[in-house]
Amino acid sequence: MRLLVVEDDVRLCDVLRRGLGEQGHVVDVAHDGEEGQTWAEGAPYDAVILDVNLPKIDGLSVVRSLRKRDVRTPVLMLTSRDTTDDVIAGLDAGADDYLRKPFVFGELEARLRTIVRRRSSEQLDAQLCVRDLVFDLKSRRARRGQRQIDLTAREAAFLEYFMRNAGRLITRSMIEDALFERESETTSNVVEVYVSRLRSKMTVGREAQLLHTIRGAGYRFGER
């Protein structure tokens, strides 16, 4: 799974990144609510581990904002605020689960698996639609009208990201953060190459262009 940890305790972040990484997960970390919210909105994470007491923006405000923006990534609140009212506040804000500190690492992993599995089952038959373009999340296949579009796995990942963020300005760095390992080197034109491939496959003949370049800024999918 690709996970985002939003926690201002640097030592705890290191423990979580190392422990989850040893289990085969890719883990990004943010140390304040503002940074965490930006990353959660910009990348297709499988789940977010979110503290409540954060600098700049508190965790409850972050999860409320994500839900208002229709970011449905599962969120596990991980916090020392452990009263029943605190738990209710976290769940009412839009979190999927709530785990109190100190915690047992095995329980953290089990809860993550549960919320991810729950969300996956909810989206099993889900489709993304932008105008006459449809992308099936289960089969990873796309069609425009009655025309099937053949995509590689990476092209499908690019298309899903663009469709999930339709109407938003998407920068090159947002795409790199969302679709490539942070530690990996990407060639200078890799994003442009995949954008060009998608355009040629999505738009044939008189079909309207859906993937627009915003000069000097990035891209916008759907309407300009």
Side-chain angles (χ1 to χ4, degrees), residues 77-148:
M77 306 295 290
L78 181 64
T79 177
S80 56
R81 295 172 63 170
D82 61 358
T83 69
T84 300
D85 287 343
D86 290 326
V87 175
I88 292 172
L91 296 175
D92 283 347
D96 296 85
D97 202 353
Y98 197 104
L99 183 60
R100 300 176 177 88
K101 300 175 184 176
F103 60 93
V104 176
F105 198 84
E107 182 181 3
L108 171 68
E109 278 204 294
R111 288 176 180 266
L112 283 172
R113 288 194 298 269
T114 298
I115 62 175
V116 171
R117 186 166 58 245
R118 183 189 309 148
R119 184 56 52 85
S120 296
S121 66
E122 291 172 356
Q123 296 180 336
L124 191 60
D125 298 318
Q127 294 179 330
L128 299 176
C129 301
V130 176
R131 295 180 63 175
D132 59 342
L133 178 66
V134 178
F135 181 72
D136 189 288
L137 293 169
K138 182 181 179 182
S139 67
R140 311 296 294 167
R141 293 178 179 175
R143 70 175 188 274
R144 187 156 189 191
Q146 300 301 312
R147 181 174 64 86
Q148 296 295 319

Side-chain angles (χ1 to χ4, degrees), residues 1-7 16 20 27-30 32-33 35-51 54 59 62-63 66-67 71-78 94-98 108 111-112 115-116 119:
M1 291 188 292
R2 184 173 185 184
L3 305 172
L4 173 64
V5 175
V6 188
E7 168 64 63
L16 288 169
L20 292 167
V27 183
D28 294 329
V29 298
D32 64 66
E35 182 181 36
Q37 181 175 319
T38 298
W39 286 10
E41 290 177 357
Y45 291 103
D46 294 295
V48 177
I49 301 171
L50 181 66
D51 190 12
L54 292 168
V62 169
V63 73
L66 292 177
R67 298 316 186 218
V71 177
R72 311 315 302 171
T73 307
V75 173
L76 172 64
M77 306 295 290
L78 181 64
D96 296 85
D97 202 353
Y98 197 104
L108 171 68
R111 288 176 180 266
L112 283 172
I115 62 175
V116 171
R119 184 56 52 85

Side-chain angles (χ1 to χ4, degrees), residues 131-132 144-147 149 201-210:
R131 295 180 63 175
D132 59 342
R144 187 156 189 191
Q146 300 301 312
R147 181 174 64 86
I149 303 174
K201 290 186 175 184
M202 287 189 305
T203 306
V204 174
R206 295 173 177 260
E207 293 174 336
Q209 183 58 252
L210 294 176

